[in-house]
Amino acid sequence: MKQALVLGAAGFIGRHAALALRNAGYTVTGIGHGGWSEQDQRAWGVERWHASDITVEALTTYANMPSVLVQAAGSGSVAFSMTHPVQDYSRSVTTTLAALEFIRTEAPDCALILPSSAAVYGNVSTLPISINHPLMPVSPYGAHKAIAEDLCRSYGRSFGVRSAIIRLFSIYGPGLRKQLLWDAYHKLKAGEPNFFGTGGECRDWLHVADAADLIVAAVSHASAVTPIVNGGTGISIANRDVLAWMAAALGGDCQPRFSGTQRGGDPIGHQADISEAIPWGWQPRRQLRDEIPAIVDWIERGAF
Amino acid sequence: MKQALVLGAAGFIGRHAALALRNAGYTVTGIGHGGWSEQDQRAWGVERWHASDITVEALTTYANMPSVLVQAAGSGSVAFSMTHPVQDYSRSVTTTLAALEFIRTEAPDCALILPSSAAVYGNVSTLPISINHPLMPVSPYGAHKAIAEDLCRSYGRSFGVRSAIIRLFSIYGPGLRKQLLWDAYHKLKAGEPNFFGTGGECRDWLHVADAADLIVAAVSHASAVTPIVNGGTGISIANRDVLAWMAAALGGDCQPRFSGTQRGGDPIGHQADISEAIPWGWQPRRQLRDEIPAIVDWIERGAF
């Protein structure tokens, strides 16, 4: 049986990656932080779970000779990185270094898949954004993701470690208890529909299950030259449309209002050029507008 | 009295930076590893020395409200980084992060000067090398220096931390007990004049005292946009010329021989474009050929 190791497996992207790998035939070991029940672990495809800091020693102890390692550990929050840059760095970069060093010294045949972020690009005016666009991250979160990518490239070049980088755009789906859809539901329900921004800010929304499928697709393309793909749909959607769809799903009694000011560190517009991902035999299968009722349903059933 | 803090002050670049800062009117505190006598510390301009790991806590404890921090800690060895990538990373990157976080949280008016390296460029075929050339480091050492630079930029952009980056080319001078001049002296003296490479590899050699002057010049130019300069002479010299000059200084009885093969991780040719350094009122004042007798004298007096 093929073994996979998911770092940060209890997180939003980590658990979806674990499930997709299990469904692709892997036995999945998870390492990281976050309390979840054994029942949840199994439901998300995790056969063995180790609550631990992610260090070379922990990986050497628990990893179980993986052929794939998904580095999904990280804070996942631009705002957190602005108030806690060292902690964000530790969760994003130090964990990636541990994973690479573990592979170099203990599991040289293992491929590393790094879910990175469109935040590495910063504010780009020419859309869609190519993977070749210069990186100008505007938050510590984005800067740290770019550094994690650099480490993958360095270990590939100097030591032949195989990896692949997926720059994920705006990931959404059941399990994400923050960001626009989560906020929108609660603010609209509470009758306090005040949102940052102008409503004209655009995002490229990728369903987390599509992101997880892309992570699995990346496994057979990981190499010492560290290929990079964007993980998005190629479609840009304005926040005002997202909120209007959410308002409609909730009955339309409450309409969103915008502050007109932008939050520091957030990009103004994003749209992925997914030219490099398509040849991997992957494509996004879900559209945000169609998925909003499922998000609402998930929140109302108690947001497990 | 203005206070300066030098990380890695016992190192080759660190001690020359400390001396130059003392001569520029600073009271210098040093933190880092390396055993040196109190007499040596004073000779190199260091008023207070703290032998310690470089952490935010150590900096907060010992730093003494500096207006300048020179981040000269690091392994200083491409070869070491190939065999010990995590240790090189720790000495180069983790120390830089600690310095930036210390400034962000404890000393927001302090300017950070980062002696980086031409190793961030990798193998560049178009000489001289501009600071705008894409970074393609070919060793963990170079990759880690590039990451340290990225952290400076990130802290400047997100938190207004002022810094300046100096990409040093081949630094030489009394105190450096390794690399080409050191090896050349000992091999030629021993009558075993066998050297890696073809002899045609070129370097841009900058005297460490000129590098230290550039570090001092950078202080008044540090800013939140993190200016970058190359630290070199703008002159490229072939290794065969360097070795011929050394052989002549030793009497010319023994002539160098080359293996014809290149060592992994080393660049083939380097020459600095110093357009950005000159407007800082700095220029290199020493030429390698003229300095070789002083190097020989230093080694023969016991290489203090």
Side-chain angles (χ1 to χ4, degrees), chain A residues 82 89 93 97 137 140 157-159, chain B residues 82 89 93 137 140 157-159:
Chain A
M82 296 293 290
Y89 176 90
V93 179
L97 180 66
R157 202 182 299 115
S158 294
F159 307 115
Chain B
M82 296 293 289
Y89 176 91
V93 180
R157 202 181 300 115
S158 293
F159 307 115

Side-chain angles (χ1 to χ4, degrees), chain A residues 1 6 57 61 69 77 94 111 115 119 123 125 149 159 201 206-207 220 230 238 250 254 262 279:
Chain A
M1 194 84 168
V6 178
E57 189 178 339
T61 306
L69 185 159
S77 165
T94 310
N123 289 320
S125 50
E149 292 187 6
F159 307 115
E201 299 84 357
L206 184 70
H207 194 279
S220 55
N230 282 329
L250 298 181
C254 181
Q262 218 206 340

Side-chain angles (χ1 to χ4, degrees), chain A residues 55-260:
Chain A
T55 62
V56 174
E57 189 178 339
L59 295 175
T60 303
T61 306
Y62 300 128
N64 210 28
M65 288 306 288
S67 57
V68 181
L69 185 159
V70 177
Q71 193 331 52
S75 79
S77 165
V78 168
F80 177 81
S81 80
M82 296 293 290
T83 53
H84 297 79
V86 168
Q87 289 83 345
D88 183 82
Y89 176 90
S90 174
R91 295 182 193 182
S92 183
V93 179
T94 310
T95 50
T96 302
L97 180 66
L100 290 162
E101 182 71 0
F102 162 72
I103 292 174
R104 181 180 82 89
T105 56
E106 301 285 339
D109 296 328
C110 181
L112 186 152
I113 312 301
L114 178 68
S116 179
S117 167
V120 299
Y121 295 116
N123 289 320
V124 176
S125 50
T126 313
L127 303 179
I129 306 175
S130 158
I131 61 159
N132 299 312
H133 197 282
L135 305 189
M136 296 278 285
V138 294
S139 65
Y141 175 81
H144 299 163
K145 286 291 189 186
I147 289 171
E149 292 187 6
D150 284 337
L151 286 172
C152 289
R153 262 188 297 278
S154 176
Y155 268 75
R157 202 182 299 115
S158 294
F159 307 115
V161 171
R162 293 183 304 124
S163 63
I165 291 165
I166 303 170
R167 293 177 179 158
L168 296 171
F169 281 61
S170 293
I171 306 301
Y172 71 96
L176 188 62
R177 289 185 192 77
K178 60 182 179 182
Q179 296 182 2
L180 190 62
L181 295 174
W182 178 262
D183 289 349
Y185 175 89
H186 289 96
K187 287 181 175 175
L188 290 167
K189 271 286 183 184
E192 295 171 352
N194 302 307
F195 296 90
F196 278 106
T198 64
E201 299 84 357
C202 290
R203 298 276 184 283
D204 186 327
W205 293 88
L206 184 70
H207 194 279
V208 66
D210 283 331
D213 288 346
L214 183 52
I215 287 168
V216 174
V219 172
S220 55
H221 297 276
S223 82
V225 300
T226 314
I228 300 169
V229 300
N230 282 329
T233 59
I235 298 165
S236 190
I237 302 174
N239 285 355
R240 75 169 69 84
D241 292 334
V242 176
L243 293 172
W245 297 337
M246 178 62 84
L250 298 181
D253 298 332
C254 181
Q255 290 302 317
R257 287 191 298 265
F258 294 95
S259 70

Side-chain angles (χ1 to χ4, degrees), chain B residues 189-271:
Chain B
K189 271 286 182 184
E192 293 171 353
N194 301 308
F195 296 90
F196 278 105
T198 64
E201 299 85 357
C202 290
R203 299 277 184 281
D204 186 326
W205 293 89
L206 184 70
H207 193 280
V208 65
D210 283 331
D213 288 346
L214 183 52
I215 288 169
V216 174
V219 172
S220 55
H221 297 276
S223 81
V225 300
T226 314
I228 300 170
V229 301
N230 283 331
T233 59
I235 298 163
S236 189
I237 302 174
N239 284 355
R240 77 169 67 85
D241 292 334
V242 177
L243 294 171
W245 297 338
M246 178 61 84
L250 298 182
D253 298 333
C254 182
Q255 290 302 316
R257 287 190 298 265
F258 294 95
S259 69
T261 59
Q262 219 206 339
R263 194 167 57 177
D266 279 354
I268 295 165
H270 266 168
Q271 181 187 3

Side-chain angles (χ1 to χ4, degrees), chain B residues 45-197:
Chain B
V46 174
E47 181 79 14
R48 280 177 291 271
W49 167 250
H50 302 282
S52 166
D53 284 344
I54 293 162
T55 61
V56 174
E57 189 178 338
L59 295 175
T60 303
T61 306
Y62 299 128
N64 211 29
M65 288 306 290
S67 57
V68 180
L69 186 158
V70 177
Q71 194 327 57
S75 79
S77 166
V78 168
F80 177 80
S81 81
M82 296 293 289
T83 53
H84 296 79
V86 167
Q87 289 84 344
D88 183 83
Y89 176 91
S90 174
R91 295 182 194 182
S92 184
V93 180
T94 310
T95 50
T96 302
L97 180 65
L100 290 162
E101 183 71 359
F102 162 71
I103 292 173
R104 180 180 82 89
T105 56
E106 302 285 339
D109 295 329
C110 180
L112 186 152
I113 311 303
L114 178 69
S116 180
S117 167
V120 299
Y121 296 117
N123 289 322
V124 175
S125 50
T126 313
L127 302 179
I129 306 175
S130 158
I131 62 159
N132 299 310
H133 197 282
L135 305 189
M136 296 278 284
V138 295
S139 64
Y141 175 80
H144 299 162
K145 286 290 190 188
I147 289 171
E149 292 188 5
D150 283 338
L151 286 173
C152 290
R153 262 188 297 278
S154 176
Y155 268 75
R157 202 181 300 115
S158 293
F159 307 115
V161 170
R162 293 183 302 123
S163 63
I165 291 165
I166 302 171
R167 292 177 179 158
L168 296 172
F169 281 61
S170 292
I171 307 301
Y172 70 97
L176 188 62
R177 290 185 190 77
K178 60 182 179 183
Q179 297 183 1
L180 190 63
L181 295 174
W182 179 262
D183 289 348
Y185 175 90
H186 289 97
K187 286 180 175 175
L188 290 166
K189 271 286 182 184
E192 293 171 353
N194 301 308
F195 296 90
F196 278 105

